[in-house]
Amino acid sequence: MGIVQRQGSGGSAAFRFRVAGVILLLVHLVLVAWLTLRPLDVVWMTAANFEPLAGIKADLALGPLQAVRRIGEGLLLLAPLGVLLPMAGGKLAVSPLASLTRTLAAGAFISLGIELLQTGIPGQVVDVDSLLLNTVGVGLAHLLVVPAGRARLRRDRTGRRGPAPVPAPRGTRVVREGDLREESPQGTTPTITRVGIAP
């Protein structure tokens, strides 16, 4: 039998990728908390908005530049979570729909948490449209980056297109094509001369 190769380097690369995702996710959440949960000194505040799409309609009434800026801020605030949450999860072989659903749910819960925390912070206003825009931003970022990124990582890992290979159970040896070599002949089989039996 030839020498069997293990996938130790692939496992450590996946671990490093996952750790990088967790670190970037934490950094992003700290930045979001600083932007959304610090008290603001404002002269006047708008009332809290609990009617879906009312804030977006008001933004559109301000003109195209203001609307793009305000709606864009809402979409971009949590959009990196659409990529960072799956990256921190570290899974390559996962259903795209399940991944999108989990990421959208996590993004919506984080956005809802921010909106609830803003109720007790001076200068911050609760807006249900922020929740909607944040969640849509997470979903768009996920759809634009994650499926293509996972496909590329799987292709790089396996050297071919298609689904990720099923990992071998822990402790088993993986034999790849080309690892087996034919054994060279050892020569002729030794023979023993016959010895006669005494009468």
Side-chain angles (χ1 to χ4, degrees), residues 137-151:
V138 169
L140 288 174
H142 183 89
L143 288 172
L144 290 173
V145 177
V146 174
R150 279 188 174 139

Side-chain angles (χ1 to χ4, degrees), residues 41-199:
D41 242 353
V42 291
V43 178
W44 63 275
M45 289 175 30
T46 58
N49 173 31
F50 296 106
E51 183 185 340
L53 303 180
I56 294 173
K57 288 176 187 172
D59 291 339
L60 291 171
L62 295 173
L65 289 177
Q66 283 286 7
V68 167
R69 185 180 69 79
R70 289 184 179 215
I71 293 171
E73 286 174 357
L75 289 172
L76 293 175
L77 180 67
L78 295 181
L81 295 181
V83 177
L84 295 176
L85 287 170
M87 187 176 170
K91 294 180 181 176
L92 286 181
V94 65
S95 162
L97 182 61
S99 177
L100 177 63
T101 303
R102 281 194 304 263
T103 305
L104 277 174
F109 279 121
I110 291 170
S111 183
L112 179 62
I114 289 169
E115 295 300 321
L116 291 175
L117 289 171
Q118 282 180 334
T119 58
I121 297 173
Q124 298 286 0
V125 179
V126 177
D127 187 356
V128 72
D129 288 339
S130 293
L131 173 64
L132 295 174
L133 289 171
N134 292 164
T135 306
V136 169
V138 169
L140 288 174
H142 183 89
L143 288 172
L144 290 173
V145 177
V146 174
R150 279 188 174 139
R152 181 173 181 174
L153 287 171
R154 282 195 300 262
R155 197 166 48 245
D156 290 347
R157 194 174 197 187
T158 62
R160 61 179 174 81
R161 293 180 184 260
V166 177
R170 180 172 269 199
T172 60
R173 299 179 141 216
V174 178
V175 179
R176 289 184 171 65
E177 193 176 333
D179 286 344
L180 299 176
R181 293 187 293 253
E182 289 186 29
E183 294 185 16
S184 58
Q186 300 285 326
T188 58
T189 305
T191 57
I192 301 174
T193 56
R194 290 186 178 253
V195 178
I197 298 178

